[in-house]
Amino acid sequence: MASECEVTPDDQHEHLRPEGTEPLERIAVDYTPDACHHAPASGEIHVTYDHRGGARWRSRGRFLPGCAVAAAVRAPAGDTAGLNYNLYLSSLEGSSDMDEIDFEFLGNDKRAVQTNLFVAGGGGREMVHQLPFDSSDGFHHYAVAWSAEAVEWRVDGEVIRREERREGEPWPEKPMYLYASLWDASDVDEGKWTGTYHGRDAPYVCSYRDVRVPVVREEEECQDDANAGDEAGAAGEEEVDAEAGKD
């Protein structure tokens, strides 16, 4: 699967890598591990949507405000109407009181990306941004910088949105995993959000590489690993070690 990606210099995005980050080397796959292929040596992750459905991967550790995450993403090719593919931070996917910061791609428009912010389960801060490129034509760089004072969403190094905390305003403060998934969102808002899935160009592959996460001390990551299975079960998902989906 890794051979599907064009080869580019390792330092291609060096100027875009947030300070205080390191490559994401270990992931967990919450469902359909055979649809998620992780190649740690090249730093590439490929998620496929086909008759099996999609898959969702996440970091093994969680991160606190004062950090940034980033990845180069290439959207699936073809008629992707109905699909949602993404890169986001969440305290726990599916939890009713989750904090979350999103990049979401809407399959019916590959020249747009949606950003959103959730605090204690409350969202409603969606913004759709037009992109100067087709997100399936190649890899582009997406980053979120998150602090106790502000959140920034960046595309290819440019800030496309900045939200500053207002006095007394609830704010995302829970420790958050980095997540990514590929799924059929046709049923959301009666298909108005991402369109209706046709599947005429399946299988669809969303590719991630040069994934960067905050530097986490080993003991912190081990503690998160110990708690991750219980939390994933509480959210109704099955956690699978990423080795099962490695190519």
Side-chain angles (χ1 to χ4, degrees):
M1 184 68 74
S3 62
E4 293 180 1
C5 292
E6 64 270 24
V7 177
T8 56
D10 290 341
D11 62 353
Q12 180 190 25
H13 297 295
E14 185 63 43
H15 67 293
L16 299 175
R17 293 169 180 165
E19 185 177 354
T21 64
E22 62 185 358
L24 176 65
E25 295 181 351
R26 300 172 61 238
I27 66 172
V29 182
D30 289 334
Y31 57 84
T32 325
D34 58 335
C36 183
H37 297 267
H38 182 208
S42 63
E44 296 178 357
I45 303 170
H46 307 274
V47 182
T48 299
Y49 188 91
D50 55 18
H51 63 279
R52 299 167 294 183
R56 183 175 68 225
W57 62 264
R58 61 173 172 80
S59 59
R60 302 287 305 198
R62 290 183 291 187
F63 316 107
L64 289 165
C67 71
V69 295
V73 183
R74 183 177 64 188
D79 177 5
T80 55
L83 295 178
N84 176 286
Y85 28 98
N86 47 61
L87 183 75
Y88 63 102
L89 288 159
S90 179
S91 55
L92 185 63
E93 169 65 36
S95 172
S96 61
D97 66 345
M98 66 184 180
D99 288 353
E100 188 169 300
I101 305 170
D102 299 336
F103 268 117
E104 296 194 86
F105 299 88
L106 312 180
N108 58 352
D109 187 355
K110 286 187 283 190
R111 301 186 71 91
V113 67
Q114 177 179 288
T115 58
N116 201 0
L117 182 70
F118 289 79
V119 182
R125 307 187 193 190
E126 301 91 341
M127 291 183 63
V128 176
H129 313 266
Q130 294 303 306
L131 299 171
F133 52 81
D134 181 323
S135 56
S136 68
D137 282 349
F139 283 89
H140 289 270
H141 197 266
Y142 304 85
V144 171
W146 166 44
S147 74
E149 293 80 32
V151 175
E152 285 187 354
W153 292 258
R154 304 168 184 165
V155 177
D156 288 338
E158 299 293 327
V159 177
I160 65 167
R161 179 179 180 182
R162 177 181 171 88
E163 292 287 338
E164 296 186 358
R165 185 176 191 175
R166 301 180 183 88
E167 186 175 355
E169 177 185 39
W171 195 249
E173 296 179 314
K174 297 182 179 74
M176 292 203 253
Y177 297 102
L178 176 64
Y179 282 94
S181 64
L182 175 56
W183 59 290
D184 180 3
S186 298
D187 292 338
V188 178
D189 196 18
E190 300 180 337
K192 296 175 183 177
W193 189 41
T194 62
T196 300
Y197 180 71
H198 304 292
R200 58 175 58 100
D201 294 317
Y204 299 97
V205 179
C206 190
S207 298
Y208 302 81
R209 70 180 179 198
D210 197 23
V211 182
R212 308 287 297 190
V213 295
V215 177
V216 179
R217 295 196 304 272
E218 184 176 358
E219 59 269 26
E220 292 175 337
E221 185 171 6
C222 289
Q223 183 62 39
D224 270 334
D225 276 354
N227 295 334
D230 291 342
E231 291 182 337
E237 301 293 351
E238 175 187 4
E239 180 193 9
V240 181
D241 194 290
E243 295 294 323
K246 186 190 298 184
D247 56 357

